[in-house]
Amino acid sequence: MRTKIGQSGMVEVDGPPSSPRRRRRPRLRSVVVTGGAGYIGSHTVLQLLLGGYKVAVIDNLDNSAAIAINRVRELAGDHGPNLTFHQMDLRDKPALEGLFASTKFGAVIHFAGLKAVGESVKKPMMYYDNNLIGTIILLEVMAAHGCKKLVFSSSATVYGWPKVVPCTEEFPIAAANPYGRSKLFIEEICRDIYQSDNEWKIILLRYFNPVGAHPSGYIGEDPRGIPNNLMPFVQQVAVGRRPALTVFGTDYSTEDGTGVRDYIHVVDLADGHIAALNKLSDASIGCEVYNLGTGKGTSVLEMVAAFEKASGKKIPLIYAGRRPGDVEIVYASTEKAERELNWKAKYGIEEMCRDQWNWANKNPYGYEPQDHTT
Ligand code: NAD
Ligand code: UFG
């Protein structure tokens, strides 16, 4: 008996052609996605639904809006009913226990966490409480219910200021702030858990710089307050919410003096999670790390030029000094993910900027009907 994804995106189970009674109802794989209302989570939930998964999203909506879930459901069409939303905080252990007791889940993709580097420096305990305690409680509940397959959102931030690029998964890891340390600690916790109980199968995905939006322009990134990251800021300048982009640092040892990063389309990143989920079924997998990037470095000025081309909008620039804690050049080695996950990013910066602009143009205030920026 073989399974395949049918045209409808549902998982079909093949029986002998002459015996229709052997055809079974599709058995959907059931996955929990923590932080599934957020930027990367919402795009991943959509790809999961379209791939025939049944998805239970857990999110406290601390940095997201329920409307994102509704839009994912709509985009998923016939697969929309396979999405359930559970507004809860990961640290609410009884609530989490209730969910895991009610359904047998095959795996968890764990996005939920706080992610603003500057805020983490000012409020380290808030970051340790949310990111570490939330993860520990999740892992405890998963183990108690025999769900021992995990994909975790780590970050290229754990490479710090790399001595050389591209960054391979074997590079030493370090953290420069409490946010980065929370990622590093969780990676170590996962390695320890696997050492203590090798029934666990864990994939740690180190994301580089996710940008862009779903090509429909219906879901995308909607940061609260002043955006910390480059492309959300650029998009807010383009729609007239902010007067100019401040370029942090023009004296780096790069071609045009601005910082270089590995920008990756969020849909490619989402697909990387499906590849990781598939890999969790490999008998050989224990606790493994994979970079998710494109392997290409792009400077701030190159990114701004690509966005101006895609949008037809001029982005006024203010040149300023380096942002404390920023690194010069970071991009990924993609070989391990290509080889072992059979995954490779498909989109370049033109598509990233095209889709970022499409989202911004259709939703100038994100999921809000008007400006609530503080
Ligand atoms: P996001 O803020 O849009 O999504 C995170 C979601 O988690 C939000 O919807 C938030 O409400 C939810 N959440 C936070 N704490 C929670 C808790 N205790 N209980 C339940 N829900 C909670 O962020 P994102 O950009 O989608 O990032 C997802 C993950 O990827 C994060 O762990 C982040 O650190 C990591 N990551 C992001 C980037 C990036 O540049 N966006 C880069 C590397 C790694
Ligand atoms: N930049 C500006 N102006 C801005 C914002 C950013 O010039 O207003 C520059 C930065 O100096 C840097 C580049 O744009 O050179 C990218 O900055 P981002 O803040 O978009 O991204 P970072 O690489 O600094 O950090 C992001 C996340 C981290 C994550 C890391 C790797 O914020 O949490 O990517 O995934 F760890």
Side-chain angles (χ1 to χ4, degrees), residues 260-273:
V260 166
R261 297 288 184 277
D262 186 338
Y263 297 95
I264 174 170
H265 197 297
V266 66
V267 174
D268 271 332
L269 192 70
D271 286 337
H273 291 75

Side-chain angles (χ1 to χ4, degrees), residues 156 159-168 171-172 208 327-331:
Y159 293 122
W161 186 308
K163 288 201 179 82
V164 289
V165 280
C167 302
T168 71
F171 275 20
F208 282 69
V327 299
E328 188 165 78
I329 307 179
V330 185
Y331 57 90

Side-chain angles (χ1 to χ4, degrees), residues 325-345:
D326 263 0
V327 299
E328 188 165 78
I329 307 179
V330 185
Y331 57 90
S333 162
T334 58
E335 275 175 31
K336 187 176 177 195
E338 280 177 38
R339 194 176 60 240
E340 297 184 16
L341 297 182
N342 206 16
W343 168 90
K344 189 175 173 17

Side-chain angles (χ1 to χ4, degrees), residues 35 37-41 58-64 88-91 110-115 130 153-156 179 183 207-210 221 229:
Y39 172 45
I40 307 170
I58 297 175
D59 202 302
N60 63 4
L61 302 183
D62 183 75
N63 195 38
S64 50
M88 70 175 74
D89 192 293
L90 280 184
R91 292 160 296 179
H110 177 31
F111 293 105
L114 301 175
K115 62 164 186 178
N130 193 79
S153 305
S154 187
S155 166
Y179 164 72
K183 293 294 175 198
Y207 311 152
F208 282 69
N209 291 57
E221 186 168 14
N229 299 118

Side-chain angles (χ1 to χ4, degrees), residues 246-265:
T246 303
V247 176
F248 296 132
T250 52
D251 60 346
Y252 287 113
S253 312
T254 59
E255 272 195 20
D256 61 23
T258 64
V260 166
R261 297 288 184 277
D262 186 338
Y263 297 95
I264 174 170
H265 197 297

